Amino acid sequence: MSSIGRRAVLRALAATVGTLSALQFPGAATRAAATETGPAGWTVQTMEAFADTLIPGERRFAGDLAIAGVVKGPGAVQAGVISTLNSPELPLAPVLPEIAALLDARAIAYAATHLILLPITSPAFVGLSFRDRTALVRGLFGPEDPDRAIWQVLSLLTGLAFDTAAHLDTRQAVTTGHPGLAWLRFPQPDADGLWRFADHSYGKALATTHPATTASGSPA
């Protein structure tokens, strides 16, 4: 990746971190779900393969190359990681092709040093076995890697896609059976669409409610 390209990616990552700190994930009810469109072709395959390395899932169809299929059940890809990465509230979509190209370049270098013959019909990272993908990704998070910040933000978004359905309204995600929330057994809302959690997590109330607390639960 050129220095100009790397600077653009780092700017987008910095803006993404700032956006994530301002947002409440999973999304509030007033936020529209992210569109399913995004960068096509090899970029999507590479991003899916990266996410599947972090949170594996089963293959979606015979011949699915991006997902290694090392486990049963849903993973980050089924949970909507591509929609999360392409969320209109994040500035990552324009730089995803460069990030994918960087990851594929790392895969080519890894394959060369490990005498691995990569297929020419799929992205380089996708062409690696799950074992080699894992070994490569492990190295990307090392303190000496110059692009570690890129992989850290991508891993954060991968986790958000699976654990919180970050690209969807929470009620929509739960009621439509989002695979990550279902796997985590995220509770259904009450009939009016709100969560109240009548049972205290410690089995008892830890403090009495202040008499000036408003009906919405806010301090007066």
Side-chain angles (χ1 to χ4, degrees):
M1 182 184 295
S2 67
S3 59
I4 296 176
R6 180 174 276 104
R7 286 198 295 270
V9 169
L10 291 177
R11 283 197 299 269
L13 291 173
T16 296
V17 172
T19 303
L20 290 173
S21 65
L23 289 176
Q24 295 180 353
F25 279 90
T30 56
R31 202 173 93 220
T35 62
E36 294 297 327
T37 60
W42 282 26
T43 295
V44 169
Q45 291 185 49
T46 301
M47 291 294 94
E48 287 182 339
F50 177 84
D52 182 69
T53 306
L54 298 177
I55 306 179
E58 62 186 16
R59 286 194 166 105
R60 296 160 291 184
F61 51 86
D64 189 351
L65 299 178
I67 295 180
V70 295
V71 300
K72 296 292 186 182
V77 176
Q78 290 89 342
V81 67
I82 296 302
S83 293
T84 298
L85 294 177
N86 284 285
S87 170
E89 293 173 335
L90 300 177
L92 273 184
V95 297
L96 285 178
E98 290 197 63
I99 294 175
L102 176 61
L103 183 57
D104 285 328
R106 295 297 186 86
I108 292 173
Y110 177 92
T113 57
H114 290 79
L115 302 180
I116 298 172
L117 181 62
L118 293 172
I120 62 173
T121 55
S122 64
F125 186 79
V126 175
L128 294 174
S129 68
F130 183 78
R131 179 178 179 179
D132 288 317
R133 293 181 189 180
T134 301
L136 172 57
V137 169
R138 185 183 297 116
L140 297 179
F141 289 98
E144 71 285 350
D145 191 282
D147 300 305
R148 182 169 65 158
I150 296 175
W151 319 121
Q152 288 175 328
V153 172
L154 288 181
S155 66
L156 171 63
L157 292 171
T158 299
L160 287 174
F162 188 84
D163 295 338
T164 72
H167 61 294
L168 297 172
D169 169 71
T170 306
R171 283 182 293 180
Q172 175 190 0
V174 172
T175 55
T176 57
H178 179 270
L181 296 186
W183 190 84
L184 293 169
R185 299 180 182 177
F186 195 88
Q188 295 285 334
D190 293 338
D192 58 1
L194 300 177
W195 283 267
R196 290 182 174 82
F197 303 101
D199 296 328
H200 302 287
S201 60
Y202 285 90
K204 63 180 180 180
L206 300 182
T208 57
T209 302
H210 191 279
T213 302
T214 66
S216 66
S218 303

